Amino acid sequence: MATGSPLMLEGHVKDIGSLDVRRMLPSARRRRVGPFVFFDHFGPAVLPAGEGMDVRPHPHIGLSTLSYLFDGQILHRDSLGFTQAIEPGAVNWMTAGRGIVHSERTAPDWRARDFGLHGVQIWIALPDGSEETEPAFTHHPADSLPVIEREGLRMILLAGSAYDSRSPVPTHSPLFCLHAELRQGATLSLPDGYAERAAYLVSGKMRYGGAELNEHQLLVVDGEAPARLTAVADSRLVLFGGAPLASDRIVWWNFVARDRDRLEAAKADWREGRFAAVPGDDEFIPLPSD
């Protein structure tokens, strides 16, 4: 992507019962940032006792997913046999590769009471040559992730490399993803060395040059020139970016692929029940109609 004026993107909101989900990528104005092809921000919300998240088993190919919470808990199960609860500050990283199935639900003990839920789910397209890698899952507790602190600023490096630190999360291409919190008046510069970078404002207010970045807006900056943001109010952001993909990607439902033939094969595999099942969770989401 050539260097140009920064973009300020608005997401679209979907109400799924007690939870609002804001989809920032893909957007009509921007399909991806580096290898990041999908960005959802859900909540904040308080789910009443008896309710919860119930994303039934569904398949993925050609991507890695990064799940991160600010509040609450989600129970992950997958076709590799992993069962892992994620709580605030930790990272669940799942690589679909040639194919994986997983579910995301609220555990029974959490469902028995009111609880808050707030977080992001991000998809990262696997680079050329790695799309059909073996599926994998890793969990990274909060205390395993690098913390970067400066005056008025605290950042957690969720994945990739930035600010001379590296996350233990097993990425497949050059990228960064951080959770940043700033006090009013503090500044940060987006990580150097990446051609495509973005900042999503979860809460607060920031300034970039002469423009304001408001809550729930996504700032996209192309090119490697210095990019500095200033907190107009106490703020929370997710920063991410990376090297552009070598070839284009098609995103259809939960599948990411370079060509239509691969998508059609994945559709047929799910329709005909050829994906592996999730142990202990025998429901599933049917293939959508085109």
Side-chain angles (χ1 to χ4, degrees), residues 15-16 30 71 83 175 186 188-189 191 254 272:
D15 181 354
I16 54 171
R30 184 74 182 222
D71 188 21
T83 298
L175 60 86
L188 70 79
S189 295
N254 303 308
E272 301 301 323

Side-chain angles (χ1 to χ4, degrees), residues 42 53 67-69 71-76 84-87 92 103-107 110 115 117-121:
F42 52 89
M53 174 178 282
S67 299
Y68 184 77
L69 296 180
D71 188 21
Q73 187 211 56
I74 296 174
L75 183 64
H76 162 97
Q84 177 63 60
I86 181 173
E87 295 184 357
N92 273 3
S103 64
E104 297 159 296
R105 297 188 184 270
T106 297
W110 282 71
F115 71 97
L117 188 60
H118 187 201
V120 294
Q121 187 171 86

Side-chain angles (χ1 to χ4, degrees), residues 31 42 49 61 80 84 90 124 127-128 140 171 179 187 196:
R31 305 305 296 173
F42 52 89
I61 64 165
L80 299 178
Q84 177 63 60
I124 301 97
D128 292 17
H140 302 270
T171 57
H179 168 199
T187 64
E196 298 181 9

Side-chain angles (χ1 to χ4, degrees), residues 24-35:
M24 307 307 299
L25 290 177
S27 160
R29 297 176 61 203
R30 184 74 182 222
R31 305 305 296 173
R32 60 181 183 259
V33 176

Side-chain angles (χ1 to χ4, degrees), residues 2-198:
T3 301
S5 300
L7 286 175
M8 294 282 194
L9 301 180
E10 306 279 351
H12 60 274
V13 180
K14 183 177 181 181
D15 181 354
I16 54 171
S18 301
L19 197 64
D20 283 346
V21 179
R22 295 173 182 83
R23 181 150 302 165
M24 307 307 299
L25 290 177
S27 160
R29 297 176 61 203
R30 184 74 182 222
R31 305 305 296 173
R32 60 181 183 259
V33 176
F36 292 80
V37 295
F38 178 98
F39 187 105
D40 266 5
H41 171 211
F42 52 89
V46 175
L47 279 65
E51 294 190 17
M53 174 178 282
D54 277 303
V55 180
R56 294 167 291 161
H58 57 281
H60 289 285
I61 64 165
L63 55 79
S64 293
T65 65
L66 187 160
S67 299
Y68 184 77
L69 296 180
F70 306 113
D71 188 21
Q73 187 211 56
I74 296 174
L75 183 64
H76 162 97
R77 288 192 179 98
D78 65 43
S79 51
L80 299 178
F82 288 99
T83 298
Q84 177 63 60
I86 181 173
E87 295 184 357
V91 167
N92 273 3
W93 180 271
M94 184 182 76
T95 294
R98 60 180 174 78
I100 199 168
V101 180
H102 76 134
S103 64
E104 297 159 296
R105 297 188 184 270
T106 297
D109 55 334
W110 282 71
R111 195 184 296 268
R113 56 183 171 84
D114 296 355
F115 71 97
L117 188 60
H118 187 201
V120 294
Q121 187 171 86
I122 303 168
W123 296 359
I124 301 97
L126 292 170
D128 292 17
S130 296
E131 303 103 312
E132 300 297 324
T133 192
E134 290 295 311
F137 174 83
T138 56
H139 173 77
H140 302 270
D143 61 7
S144 72
L145 301 172
V147 175
I148 302 156
E149 293 185 294
R150 298 170 184 171
E151 185 175 355
L153 168 63
R154 185 176 190 270
M155 295 183 286
I156 303 169
L157 184 56
L158 308 183
S161 299
Y163 309 114
D164 298 320
S165 295
R166 182 168 185 82
S167 167
V169 171
T171 57
H172 293 80
S173 60
L175 60 86
F176 69 91
C177 186
L178 299 114
H179 168 199
E181 294 190 346
L182 293 85
R183 293 291 188 187
Q184 182 178 2
T187 64
L188 70 79
S189 295
L190 295 180
D192 295 330
Y194 295 99
E196 298 181 9
R197 297 168 289 173

